[in-house]
PDB file of all heavy atoms in Angstrom:
ATOM      1  N   ILE A1342     -46.076 -45.455  -1.922  1.00 98.00           N
ATOM      2  CA  ILE A1342     -45.319 -44.850  -3.122  1.00 98.00           C
ATOM      3  C   ILE A1342     -44.676 -45.984  -3.936  1.00 98.00           C
ATOM      4  O   ILE A1342     -44.698 -46.121  -5.139  1.00 98.00           O
ATOM      5  CB  ILE A1342     -44.375 -43.756  -2.730  1.00 98.00           C
ATOM      6  CG1 ILE A1342     -45.140 -42.613  -2.162  1.00 98.00           C
ATOM      7  CG2 ILE A1342     -43.585 -43.265  -3.882  1.00 98.00           C
ATOM      8  CD1 ILE A1342     -44.121 -41.510  -1.534  1.00 98.00           C
ATOM      9  N   ARG A1343     -43.992 -46.871  -3.169  1.00 98.00           N
ATOM     10  CA  ARG A1343     -43.290 -48.007  -3.795  1.00 98.00           C
ATOM     11  C   ARG A1343     -44.163 -48.880  -4.620  1.00 98.00           C
ATOM     12  O   ARG A1343     -43.890 -49.317  -5.710  1.00 98.00           O
ATOM     13  CB  ARG A1343     -42.541 -48.865  -2.761  1.00 98.00           C
ATOM     14  CG  ARG A1343     -41.333 -48.236  -2.111  1.00 98.00           C
ATOM     15  CD  ARG A1343     -40.944 -49.066  -0.870  1.00 98.00           C
ATOM     16  NE  ARG A1343     -40.871 -50.432  -1.112  1.00 98.00           N
ATOM     17  CZ  ARG A1343     -39.812 -51.215  -1.627  1.00 98.00           C
ATOM     18  NH1 ARG A1343     -38.775 -50.497  -1.943  1.00 98.00           N
ATOM     19  NH2 ARG A1343     -39.930 -52.466  -1.780  1.00 98.00           N
ATOM     20  N   HIS A1344     -45.379 -49.153  -4.083  1.00 97.00           N
ATOM     21  CA  HIS A1344     -46.382 -49.944  -4.833  1.00 97.00           C
ATOM     22  C   HIS A1344     -46.974 -49.239  -5.975  1.00 97.00           C
ATOM     23  O   HIS A1344     -47.514 -49.913  -6.916  1.00 97.00           O
ATOM     24  CB  HIS A1344     -47.408 -50.483  -3.845  1.00 97.00           C
ATOM     25  CG  HIS A1344     -46.869 -51.566  -2.966  1.00 97.00           C
ATOM     26  ND1 HIS A1344     -46.732 -52.898  -3.401  1.00 97.00           N
ATOM     27  CD2 HIS A1344     -46.573 -51.586  -1.636  1.00 97.00           C
ATOM     28  CE1 HIS A1344     -46.255 -53.563  -2.362  1.00 97.00           C
ATOM     29  NE2 HIS A1344     -46.168 -52.898  -1.309  1.00 97.00           N
ATOM     30  N   ALA A1345     -46.959 -47.886  -5.997  1.00 97.00           N
ATOM     31  CA  ALA A1345     -47.598 -47.147  -6.928  1.00 97.00           C
ATOM     32  C   ALA A1345     -46.764 -46.804  -8.222  1.00 97.00           C
ATOM     33  O   ALA A1345     -47.398 -46.571  -9.204  1.00 97.00           O
ATOM     34  CB  ALA A1345     -48.147 -45.816  -6.475  1.00 97.00           C
ATOM     35  N   HIS A1346     -45.485 -47.083  -8.110  1.00 98.00           N
ATOM     36  CA  HIS A1346     -44.584 -46.580  -9.180  1.00 98.00           C
ATOM     37  C   HIS A1346     -43.791 -47.802  -9.696  1.00 98.00           C
ATOM     38  O   HIS A1346     -42.963 -48.434  -8.972  1.00 98.00           O
ATOM     39  CB  HIS A1346     -43.714 -45.441  -8.713  1.00 98.00           C
ATOM     40  CG  HIS A1346     -44.399 -44.171  -8.510  1.00 98.00           C
ATOM     41  ND1 HIS A1346     -44.534 -43.360  -9.622  1.00 98.00           N
ATOM     42  CD2 HIS A1346     -44.929 -43.607  -7.444  1.00 98.00           C
ATOM     43  CE1 HIS A1346     -45.247 -42.230  -9.222  1.00 98.00           C
ATOM     44  NE2 HIS A1346     -45.442 -42.356  -7.897  1.00 98.00           N
ATOM     45  N   SER A1347     -43.863 -48.065 -10.918  1.00 97.00           N
ATOM     46  CA  SER A1347     -43.041 -49.069 -11.615  1.00 97.00           C
ATOM     47  C   SER A1347     -41.539 -48.634 -11.590  1.00 97.00           C
ATOM     48  O   SER A1347     -40.774 -49.574 -11.524  1.00 97.00           O
ATOM     49  CB  SER A1347     -43.444 -49.327 -13.034  1.00 97.00           C
ATOM     50  OG  SER A1347     -43.401 -48.099 -13.839  1.00 97.00           O
ATOM     51  N   ALA A1348     -41.311 -47.415 -11.602  1.00 98.00           N
ATOM     52  CA  ALA A1348     -39.945 -46.963 -11.434  1.00 98.00           C
ATOM     53  C   ALA A1348     -39.185 -47.510 -10.253  1.00 98.00           C
ATOM     54  O   ALA A1348     -37.988 -47.548 -10.242  1.00 98.00           O
ATOM     55  CB  ALA A1348     -39.868 -45.369 -11.487  1.00 98.00           C
ATOM     56  N   LEU A1349     -39.876 -47.704  -9.204  1.00 98.00           N
ATOM     57  CA  LEU A1349     -39.430 -48.219  -7.952  1.00 98.00           C
ATOM     58  C   LEU A1349     -39.424 -49.685  -7.926  1.00 98.00           C
ATOM     59  O   LEU A1349     -38.965 -50.169  -6.672  1.00 98.00           O
ATOM     60  CB  LEU A1349     -40.117 -47.455  -6.745  1.00 98.00           C
ATOM     61  CG  LEU A1349     -40.182 -46.043  -6.773  1.00 98.00           C
ATOM     62  CD1 LEU A1349     -41.051 -45.510  -5.644  1.00 98.00           C
ATOM     63  CD2 LEU A1349     -38.760 -45.295  -6.697  1.00 98.00           C
ATOM     64  N   GLY A1350     -39.792 -50.342  -8.869  1.00 96.00           N
ATOM     65  CA  GLY A1350     -39.711 -51.728  -8.875  1.00 96.00           C
ATOM     66  C   GLY A1350     -38.461 -52.424  -9.452  1.00 96.00           C
ATOM     67  O   GLY A1350     -37.619 -51.703  -9.747  1.00 96.00           O
ATOM     68  N   PRO A1351     -38.409 -53.665  -9.656  1.00 95.00           N
ATOM     69  CA  PRO A1351     -37.181 -54.358 -10.072  1.00 95.00           C
ATOM     70  C   PRO A1351     -36.621 -53.851 -11.500  1.00 95.00           C
ATOM     71  O   PRO A1351     -35.494 -53.915 -11.721  1.00 95.00           O
ATOM     72  CB  PRO A1351     -37.625 -55.883 -10.272  1.00 95.00           C
ATOM     73  CG  PRO A1351     -38.856 -55.954  -9.419  1.00 95.00           C
ATOM     74  CD  PRO A1351     -39.573 -54.664  -9.521  1.00 95.00           C
ATOM     75  N   ARG A1352     -37.656 -53.262 -12.356  1.00 94.00           N
ATOM     76  CA  ARG A1352     -37.065 -52.878 -13.617  1.00 94.00           C
ATOM     77  C   ARG A1352     -36.651 -51.372 -13.660  1.00 94.00           C
ATOM     78  O   ARG A1352     -36.177 -50.875 -14.640  1.00 94.00           O
ATOM     79  CB  ARG A1352     -38.184 -53.191 -14.666  1.00 94.00           C
ATOM     80  CG  ARG A1352     -38.633 -54.666 -14.779  1.00 94.00           C
ATOM     81  CD  ARG A1352     -39.566 -54.943 -15.778  1.00 94.00           C
ATOM     82  NE  ARG A1352     -39.158 -54.747 -17.066  1.00 94.00           N
ATOM     83  CZ  ARG A1352     -39.899 -54.733 -18.128  1.00 94.00           C
ATOM     84  NH1 ARG A1352     -41.241 -54.945 -17.982  1.00 94.00           N
ATOM     85  NH2 ARG A1352     -39.486 -54.512 -19.374  1.00 94.00           N
ATOM     86  N   GLY A1353     -36.906 -50.748 -12.537  1.00 95.00           N
ATOM     87  CA  GLY A1353     -36.530 -49.250 -12.540  1.00 95.00           C
ATOM     88  C   GLY A1353     -34.966 -49.111 -12.554  1.00 95.00           C
ATOM     89  O   GLY A1353     -34.143 -49.783 -11.886  1.00 95.00           O
ATOM     90  N   GLN A1354     -34.464 -48.046 -13.275  1.00 95.00           N
ATOM     91  CA  GLN A1354     -33.002 -47.785 -13.300  1.00 95.00           C
ATOM     92  C   GLN A1354     -32.752 -46.507 -12.483  1.00 95.00           C
ATOM     93  O   GLN A1354     -33.389 -45.605 -12.532  1.00 95.00           O
ATOM     94  CB  GLN A1354     -32.752 -47.498 -14.716  1.00 95.00           C
ATOM     95  CG  GLN A1354     -31.101 -47.250 -15.012  1.00 95.00           C
ATOM     96  CD  GLN A1354     -30.827 -47.028 -16.381  1.00 95.00           C
ATOM     97  OE1 GLN A1354     -31.619 -46.898 -17.263  1.00 95.00           O
ATOM     98  NE2 GLN A1354     -29.552 -47.025 -16.676  1.00 95.00           N
ATOM     99  N   LEU A1355     -31.689 -46.802 -11.695  1.00 96.00           N
ATOM    100  CA  LEU A1355     -31.260 -45.701 -10.745  1.00 96.00           C
ATOM    101  C   LEU A1355     -30.199 -44.861 -11.421  1.00 96.00           C
ATOM    102  O   LEU A1355     -29.235 -45.366 -12.048  1.00 96.00           O
ATOM    103  CB  LEU A1355     -30.753 -46.315  -9.476  1.00 96.00           C
ATOM    104  CG  LEU A1355     -30.341 -45.394  -8.256  1.00 96.00           C
ATOM    105  CD1 LEU A1355     -30.650 -45.977  -6.962  1.00 96.00           C
ATOM    106  CD2 LEU A1355     -28.956 -44.834  -8.445  1.00 96.00           C
ATOM    107  N   ARG A1356     -30.301 -43.523 -11.334  1.00 96.00           N
ATOM    108  CA  ARG A1356     -29.306 -42.647 -11.782  1.00 96.00           C
ATOM    109  C   ARG A1356     -29.005 -41.571 -10.714  1.00 96.00           C
ATOM    110  O   ARG A1356     -29.908 -41.094 -10.242  1.00 96.00           O
ATOM    111  CB  ARG A1356     -29.731 -41.937 -13.114  1.00 96.00           C
ATOM    112  CG  ARG A1356     -30.006 -42.842 -14.285  1.00 96.00           C
ATOM    113  CD  ARG A1356     -30.365 -42.047 -15.555  1.00 96.00           C
ATOM    114  NE  ARG A1356     -30.528 -42.787 -16.697  1.00 96.00           N
ATOM    115  CZ  ARG A1356     -31.674 -43.363 -17.155  1.00 96.00           C
ATOM    116  NH1 ARG A1356     -32.770 -43.046 -16.317  1.00 96.00           N
ATOM    117  NH2 ARG A1356     -31.781 -44.007 -18.204  1.00 96.00           N
ATOM    118  N   LEU A1357     -27.727 -41.237 -10.517  1.00 97.00           N
ATOM    119  CA  LEU A1357     -27.289 -40.164  -9.560  1.00 97.00           C
ATOM    120  C   LEU A1357     -27.547 -38.849 -10.389  1.00 97.00           C
ATOM    121  O   LEU A1357     -27.228 -38.710 -11.566  1.00 97.00           O
ATOM    122  CB  LEU A1357     -25.986 -40.292  -9.179  1.00 97.00           C
ATOM    123  CG  LEU A1357     -25.665 -41.575  -8.272  1.00 97.00           C
ATOM    124  CD1 LEU A1357     -24.077 -41.673  -8.119  1.00 97.00           C
ATOM    125  CD2 LEU A1357     -26.268 -41.449  -6.979  1.00 97.00           C
ATOM    126  N   GLN A1358     -28.043 -37.885  -9.669  1.00 98.00           N
ATOM    127  CA  GLN A1358     -28.287 -36.559 -10.224  1.00 98.00           C
ATOM    128  C   GLN A1358     -27.330 -35.619  -9.349  1.00 98.00           C
ATOM    129  O   GLN A1358     -26.861 -35.964  -8.305  1.00 98.00           O
ATOM    130  CB  GLN A1358     -29.737 -36.149 -10.277  1.00 98.00           C
ATOM    131  CG  GLN A1358     -30.567 -37.095 -10.977  1.00 98.00           C
ATOM    132  CD  GLN A1358     -30.370 -37.120 -12.470  1.00 98.00           C
ATOM    133  OE1 GLN A1358     -29.685 -36.146 -13.011  1.00 98.00           O
ATOM    134  NE2 GLN A1358     -30.890 -38.028 -13.183  1.00 98.00           N
ATOM    135  N   ARG A1359     -27.078 -34.390  -9.894  1.00 97.00           N
ATOM    136  CA  ARG A1359     -26.158 -33.530  -9.258  1.00 97.00           C
ATOM    137  C   ARG A1359     -26.848 -32.495  -8.391  1.00 97.00           C
ATOM    138  O   ARG A1359     -27.900 -31.920  -8.644  1.00 97.00           O
ATOM    139  CB  ARG A1359     -25.310 -32.705 -10.308  1.00 97.00           C
ATOM    140  CG  ARG A1359     -24.326 -33.620 -11.107  1.00 97.00           C
ATOM    141  CD  ARG A1359     -23.588 -32.863 -12.088  1.00 97.00           C
ATOM    142  NE  ARG A1359     -24.490 -32.558 -13.219  1.00 97.00           N
ATOM    143  CZ  ARG A1359     -24.121 -31.654 -14.194  1.00 97.00           C
ATOM    144  NH1 ARG A1359     -23.095 -30.894 -14.060  1.00 97.00           N
ATOM    145  NH2 ARG A1359     -25.061 -31.536 -15.135  1.00 97.00           N
ATOM    146  N   ALA A1360     -26.162 -32.164  -7.175  1.00 98.00           N
ATOM    147  CA  ALA A1360     -26.555 -31.058  -6.371  1.00 98.00           C
ATOM    148  C   ALA A1360     -25.276 -30.415  -5.890  1.00 98.00           C
ATOM    149  O   ALA A1360     -24.183 -31.126  -5.566  1.00 98.00           O
ATOM    150  CB  ALA A1360     -27.335 -31.575  -5.183  1.00 98.00           C
ATOM    151  N   ASP A1361     -25.209 -29.077  -5.856  1.00 97.00           N
ATOM    152  CA  ASP A1361     -23.950 -28.432  -5.410  1.00 97.00           C
ATOM    153  C   ASP A1361     -23.847 -28.151  -3.917  1.00 97.00           C
ATOM    154  O   ASP A1361     -23.454 -27.072  -3.376  1.00 97.00           O
ATOM    155  CB  ASP A1361     -23.902 -26.932  -6.124  1.00 97.00           C
ATOM    156  CG  ASP A1361     -25.027 -26.109  -5.816  1.00 97.00           C
ATOM    157  OD1 ASP A1361     -25.999 -26.573  -4.983  1.00 97.00           O
ATOM    158  OD2 ASP A1361     -25.136 -24.939  -6.244  1.00 97.00           O
ATOM    159  N   ASN A1362     -24.261 -29.212  -3.148  1.00 98.00           N
ATOM    160  CA  ASN A1362     -24.018 -29.165  -1.718  1.00 98.00           C
ATOM    161  C   ASN A1362     -23.844 -30.588  -1.213  1.00 98.00           C
ATOM    162  O   ASN A1362     -24.562 -31.549  -1.560  1.00 98.00           O
ATOM    163  CB  ASN A1362     -25.388 -28.672  -1.098  1.00 98.00           C
ATOM    164  CG  ASN A1362     -25.307 -28.537   0.430  1.00 98.00           C
ATOM    165  OD1 ASN A1362     -24.561 -29.225   1.077  1.00 98.00           O
ATOM    166  ND2 ASN A1362     -26.128 -27.610   1.034  1.00 98.00           N
ATOM    167  N   ASP A1363     -22.744 -30.750  -0.514  1.00 97.00           N
ATOM    168  CA  ASP A1363     -22.318 -32.135  -0.027  1.00 97.00           C
ATOM    169  C   ASP A1363     -23.358 -32.742   0.995  1.00 97.00           C
ATOM    170  O   ASP A1363     -23.132 -33.892   1.391  1.00 97.00           O
ATOM    171  CB  ASP A1363     -20.969 -32.098   0.551  1.00 97.00           C
ATOM    172  CG  ASP A1363     -19.841 -31.946  -0.472  1.00 97.00           C
ATOM    173  OD1 ASP A1363     -20.170 -32.180  -1.654  1.00 97.00           O
ATOM    174  OD2 ASP A1363     -18.729 -31.548  -0.183  1.00 97.00           O
ATOM    175  N   GLN A1364     -24.323 -31.930   1.456  1.00 98.00           N
ATOM    176  CA  GLN A1364     -25.270 -32.578   2.302  1.00 98.00           C
ATOM    177  C   GLN A1364     -26.603 -32.857   1.556  1.00 98.00           C
ATOM    178  O   GLN A1364     -27.516 -33.277   2.263  1.00 98.00           O
ATOM    179  CB  GLN A1364     -25.593 -31.538   3.383  1.00 98.00           C
ATOM    180  CG  GLN A1364     -24.447 -31.229   4.340  1.00 98.00           C
ATOM    181  CD  GLN A1364     -24.049 -32.455   5.161  1.00 98.00           C
ATOM    182  OE1 GLN A1364     -24.857 -33.347   5.273  1.00 98.00           O
ATOM    183  NE2 GLN A1364     -22.795 -32.494   5.480  1.00 98.00           N
ATOM    184  N   ILE A1365     -26.653 -32.617   0.233  1.00 98.00           N
ATOM    185  CA  ILE A1365     -27.879 -32.886  -0.507  1.00 98.00           C
ATOM    186  C   ILE A1365     -27.566 -33.998  -1.445  1.00 98.00           C
ATOM    187  O   ILE A1365     -26.777 -33.931  -2.347  1.00 98.00           O
ATOM    188  CB  ILE A1365     -28.411 -31.698  -1.248  1.00 98.00           C
ATOM    189  CG1 ILE A1365     -28.756 -30.582  -0.311  1.00 98.00           C
ATOM    190  CG2 ILE A1365     -29.645 -32.136  -2.141  1.00 98.00           C
ATOM    191  CD1 ILE A1365     -29.907 -30.772   0.505  1.00 98.00           C
TER     192      ILE A1365
END
């Protein structure tokens, strides 16, 4: 998956998203 997606490469930007459970 890492090799197939540019989003997972050096130029990909990470953003936190919300979940209403402290275990997710």
Side-chain angles (χ1 to χ4, degrees):
I1342 296 169
R1343 286 167 48 85
H1344 285 286
H1346 285 276
S1347 58
L1349 302 175
R1352 302 178 69 191
Q1354 183 176 8
L1355 187 148
R1356 297 182 178 92
L1357 295 171
Q1358 304 292 341
R1359 287 178 289 164
D1361 60 356
N1362 183 332
D1363 285 342
Q1364 295 295 335
I1365 300 290

